[in-house]
Amino acid sequence: MRNAVTTNKLTKRFGDFVATDAITFTVAPGEIFGFLGANGAGKTTAMRMLCGLLKPTSGTATVAGFDVYTQSEQIKQVIGYMSQRFSLYDDLTPRENIRFYGGIYGLKRADLKAKANAIIEELELGSVADKLTGSLPLGWKQRLAFSVALIHEPKVVFLDEPTGGVDPITRRHFWDMIYAAAHRGTTIFVTTHYMDEAEYCDRVSIMVDGQIKALDTPGALKKQFGVDSMDGVFQILARGTSTK
Amino acid sequence: MNRIGFMIEKEFKQLFRNKVLWRMMLAAPVLQLILLANAANFEVKNINIVVVDQDHTTYAQRLTGKFRYIDNFNFRGYRPATKLAYQELLAGTADVILVIPPHFERNLTTENRADVQLLVSAIDGTKAGIASVYAQTIIRSFNADIRTETIGTTPDGVAPERMAGLDVENQYWYNPRLEYKTFMVPGILFELLLLIGSMIAALNIVREKEIGTQEQLNVTPIRKHEFIIGKLTPFVLIGLIQFTLGLLVGRFVFRIPIEGSLLLLYGFAFLFLLLCVGLGLLISAVSNTQQQAMFVVFFCLVLFILLSGLFSSTDDMPQWAQIINTLNPLKYIIEVGRNVLLKGSTLRDMQTQFFTLLAMTITLIGLASWRYKKVG
């Protein structure tokens, strides 16, 4: 089966600053791929290149088999994206947000209503479905944003710190949703700063100063660095110091 | 095509939900039209005049009397000395001083000539010019009266009736009563479209950038033209509603004539709105924050409005200003508004304006589309 994401020496420079330095990796279909790194390590830049929001400086990359240089519009048909910033319309209701993004992704008008009802039921938003999205608690908004990112059943979904600022119980719910989506065959590409979340991923890469310093399953990484948590692995790599 | 429909639907939902903005957009053209058309006024009225009468004769009184009963002048009374009258000029309580020197009547009857002195405060150049013309007209008419009575003929021996026949009579076409509002309302109407169209459009799109929904839209398969048409359409429609409201106010409150074709007028309004929203779109494409966008919009608007001929004739501007003005869309559309509404000009008469505005619209929307990028 074709890889969901491949990159080969993918690089982005802003002037003299190298934000992403020749990163090479592949993500298998249906995989939950954790993309870790300290603030400013280049995660978001890499993700934006894969989503077609940013042109790479050099190197190659494909998403769902499409080339990021020449086929970015095709990529946009088959990916979902949820950025760090909440990106639904606060002045529309959840139902209207679902309808709008569904419409933009080309869903049929007849299907939109059923889709909206299904999402609202799944997220248990029935009581607030027709209130303004801006009035919902952050955790609810984030789950709604995730559902909207999945509305067109994308092959790959990119989540940029989806659980930032959310309480532990809601985070747990969020990860249940991620598992459910992966189970349906969607590839999940997720960045996070929570190391417990890193443990939930099938494989994890850790970026430091624009480069990928480690890439493996959480279990293999812990073994490789001789620590008992992903937090330990991250500390060693991000600080550039070894406790050994 | 479907996506454009969803964009427009979403824009209108957001707009109707923003009750303050929605109400303001409908109330603004009506209120501003009423306020501006009445306040931004060049008619010179209430010229304060004081008279220093050093002659104290019937003739002097009759001359003063002429000023007392003319609407434009506001007679503030006699002053015993020129010095006192000067003080009023300084204090701003008088705009014009009329000094009637001693022996005014005697000189007029014996020597057939006499001088009066007119002092005009020229702080406001326009007002001073008009006030002095008015005053001279009144003095001339007084002069003619006296001659008719005392001599029966003018010094050249021409009967005064004949002389009156030679008088130049002005006929004011298209605005026969020189109604100031008739001239202002069409201009203000389009100025408001520019203000509201470009400002609201620019801020709307920059706001999407600020809250991050623009980026979210950029990862969807929405095409550039779908986004742009989806954004343009609601504002053009609202602009047309505002234009209609403004036109109704003009027609029924200010009784401006509508001589030309309404279809032509709406055609131009539509073109001009596309231009305004295109300008807003371009500004939003080069701005990252609402603050930046607001500043650029304001800069453009002030230039456009002051040079547009709304308040002062563009023909009197220096050469360089007239050259800059060839790029001023407001100048062309105000010409259209005045000519079509007041004169009944046709598209053939307005073809220069039409092609210029069309070229500007295409350029602005073209530039905006080029600058608007889904990929950074």
Side-chain angles (χ1 to χ4, degrees):
Chain A
M1 205 170 169
R2 205 164 48 182
N3 282 318
V5 179
T6 65
T7 71
N8 188 11
K9 296 187 176 143
L10 189 66
T11 303
K12 180 71 190 180
R13 284 193 198 89
F14 297 103
D16 290 339
F17 176 68
V18 185
T20 305
D21 190 2
I23 57 172
T24 301
F25 63 89
T26 58
V27 181
E31 192 176 11
I32 300 178
F33 188 79
F35 203 56
L36 272 55
N39 288 327
K43 303 183 304 278
T44 301
T45 304
M47 193 179 259
R48 288 170 59 89
M49 284 191 283
L50 294 175
C51 292
L53 284 172
L54 205 59
K55 277 257 182 282
T57 312
S58 64
T60 59
T62 64
V63 175
F66 296 115
D67 184 77
V68 292
Y69 289 95
T70 56
Q71 294 173 303
S72 64
E73 290 307 305
Q74 281 100 318
I75 289 176
K76 283 168 186 177
Q77 291 280 0
V78 296
I79 61 163
Y81 174 68
M82 185 179 160
S83 70
Q84 290 170 357
R85 294 155 84 188
F86 177 72
S87 47
L88 299 179
Y89 292 93
D90 272 343
D91 51 354
L92 294 180
T93 67
R95 204 184 287 279
E96 288 165 344
N97 268 305
I98 295 168
R99 180 180 163 77
F100 172 67
Y101 279 110
I104 294 296
Y105 277 113
L107 269 63
K108 291 197 185 74
R109 280 177 194 269
D111 298 340
L112 278 172
K113 200 163 194 171
K115 195 90 191 176
N117 285 333
I119 291 175
I120 287 160
E121 196 176 327
E122 189 195 331
L123 299 181
E124 296 167 356
L125 290 177
S127 58
V128 293
D130 297 308
K131 291 193 174 141
L132 292 190
T133 306
S135 65
L136 304 186
L138 181 66
W140 298 25
K141 285 192 204 172
Q142 298 292 68
R143 285 163 63 212
L144 179 62
F146 182 53
S147 297
V148 169
L150 291 174
I151 195 163
H152 54 301
E153 291 163 13
K155 293 203 171 97
V156 187
V157 62
F158 292 90
L159 307 173
D160 197 359
E161 293 178 28
T163 53
V166 169
D167 67 72
I169 296 165
T170 312
R171 282 210 284 137
R172 189 65 234 196
H173 282 183
F174 202 94
W175 274 88
D176 289 342
M177 289 174 71
I178 290 177
Y179 274 119
H183 193 71
R184 290 193 299 266
T186 309
T187 308
I188 310 282
F189 190 99
V190 57
T191 74
T192 181
H193 286 307
Y194 297 107
M195 289 306 132
D196 58 329
E197 291 184 352
E199 310 265 1
Y200 304 150
C201 298
D202 294 327
R203 280 193 308 148
V204 167
S205 77
I206 298 178
M207 272 186 94
V208 180
D209 296 334
Q211 295 175 333
I212 292 186
K213 292 288 184 189
L215 201 175
D216 215 326
T217 61
L221 284 175
K222 283 185 274 190
K223 211 173 194 178
Q224 182 189 339
F225 289 92
V227 289
D228 56 4
S229 70
M230 277 309 293
D231 194 42
V233 176
F234 189 80
Q235 295 290 343
I236 293 167
L237 284 170
R239 285 197 182 150
T241 55
S242 174
T243 50
K244 279 187 194 172
Chain B
M1 195 60 220
N2 230 347
R3 290 201 192 105
I4 299 179
F6 281 106
M7 277 293 292
I8 295 175
E9 180 187 320
K10 173 214 126 201
E11 290 300 327
F12 272 115
K13 272 183 196 156
Q14 291 181 301
L15 214 62
F16 283 125
R17 207 148 277 166
N18 194 340
K19 292 220 168 58
V20 178
L21 183 69
W22 179 236
R23 283 186 197 136
M24 262 170 47
M25 285 204 301
L26 290 186
V30 177
L31 282 176
Q32 289 215 21
L33 203 58
I34 291 176
L35 287 174
L36 282 178
N38 280 308
N41 191 326
F42 286 147
E43 273 180 287
V44 177
K45 280 183 185 162
N46 302 323
I47 307 166
N48 290 322
I49 184 167
V50 297
V51 176
V52 182
D53 185 354
Q54 297 165 336
D55 192 40
H56 303 292
T57 56
T58 327
Y59 275 13
Q61 265 179 27
R62 273 178 65 183
L63 179 58
T64 314
K66 282 217 169 241
F67 283 95
R68 291 178 84 149
Y69 302 111
I70 285 204
D71 271 351
N72 306 66
F73 284 93
N74 191 2
F75 180 70
R76 312 256 319 165
Y78 291 105
R79 298 291 173 265
T82 334
K83 219 175 181 178
L84 288 169
Y86 284 164
Q87 278 170 6
E88 287 203 43
L89 214 55
L90 282 176
T93 50
D95 302 308
V96 176
I97 306 174
L98 174 70
V99 184
I100 305 175
H103 314 303
F104 172 70
E105 184 177 293
R106 196 183 73 199
N107 291 348
L108 203 59
T109 42
T110 56
E111 292 169 34
N112 201 15
R113 54 161 299 133
D115 295 324
V116 291
Q117 189 183 20
L118 210 55
L119 296 154
V120 184
S121 159
I123 286 178
D124 178 345
T126 316
K127 191 174 178 182
I130 294 173
S132 110
V133 172
Y134 282 172
Q136 284 171 34
T137 312
I138 293 170
I139 294 166
R140 236 190 333 259
S141 121
F142 168 79
N143 201 8
D145 291 351
I146 299 295
R147 289 193 172 165
T148 317
E149 288 166 21
T150 56
I151 311 161
T153 57
T154 58
D156 314 280
V158 185
E161 290 82 2
R162 280 298 305 276
M163 221 185 96
L166 279 175
D167 232 6
V168 178
E169 190 182 321
N170 293 315
Q171 280 197 358
Y172 298 103
W173 284 23
Y174 311 122
N175 185 2
R177 293 191 298 130
L178 289 180
E179 261 299 344
Y180 185 73
K181 282 159 198 154
T182 307
F183 177 70
M184 283 305 277
V185 167
I188 293 174
L189 205 55
F190 285 106
E191 182 242 291
L192 286 173
L193 288 191
L194 175 65
L195 181 76
I196 294 166
S198 56
M199 178 93 78
I200 304 277
L203 293 185
N204 175 287
I205 301 170
V206 178
R207 186 170 160 264
E208 293 230 14
K209 273 193 195 174
E210 283 187 348
I211 60 180
T213 46
Q214 181 73 59
E215 185 173 281
Q216 191 66 39
L217 277 176
N218 287 348
V219 292
T220 72
I222 195 169
R223 304 242 193 86
K224 223 184 208 185
H225 74 269
E226 293 170 328
F227 176 82
I228 288 174
I229 296 173
K231 280 285 182 193
L232 288 180
T233 311
F235 296 113
V236 171
L237 286 177
I238 290 165
L240 286 174
I241 296 174
Q242 291 176 322
F243 181 70
T244 307
L245 277 175
L247 208 56
L248 287 173
V249 171
R251 182 75 191 87
F252 294 107
V253 178
F254 296 112
R255 312 218 162 270
I256 55 163
I258 300 182
E259 296 290 339
S261 144
L262 268 181
L263 191 69
L264 178 64
L265 204 62
Y266 269 89
F268 267 109
F270 177 73
L271 180 63
F272 184 64
L273 275 164
L274 274 181
L275 185 149
C276 298
V277 181
L279 176 69
L281 200 66
L282 178 61
I283 291 171
S284 74
V286 297
S287 315
N288 290 318
T289 64
Q290 295 191 53
Q291 225 173 8
Q292 288 170 3
M294 183 86 107
F295 179 79
V296 181
V297 170
F298 232 81
F299 176 80
C300 293
L301 285 186
V302 169
L303 263 185
F304 286 165
I305 291 172
L306 288 181
L307 291 176
S308 67
L310 182 60
F311 300 113
S312 50
S313 168
T314 51
D315 297 336
D316 300 336
M317 290 176 188
Q319 190 79 33
W320 58 265
Q322 293 198 26
I323 291 169
I324 294 177
N325 231 353
T326 55
L327 295 173
N328 184 353
L330 194 57
K331 166 188 175 273
Y332 295 99
I333 197 70
I334 287 180
E335 284 168 6
V336 170
R338 285 174 180 163
N339 283 305
V340 173
L341 279 171
L342 310 185
K343 274 200 229 168
S345 298
T346 61
L347 182 58
R348 184 186 289 270
D349 302 318
M350 294 287 107
Q351 52 183 324
T352 316
Q353 285 84 351
F354 175 74
F355 286 115
T356 315
L357 287 171
L358 187 67
M360 285 177 173
T361 309
I362 293 171
T363 312
L364 280 174
I365 294 183
L367 276 176
S369 314
W370 173 69
R371 280 294 316 217
Y372 168 72
K373 286 198 179 76
K374 283 182 75 179
V375 181

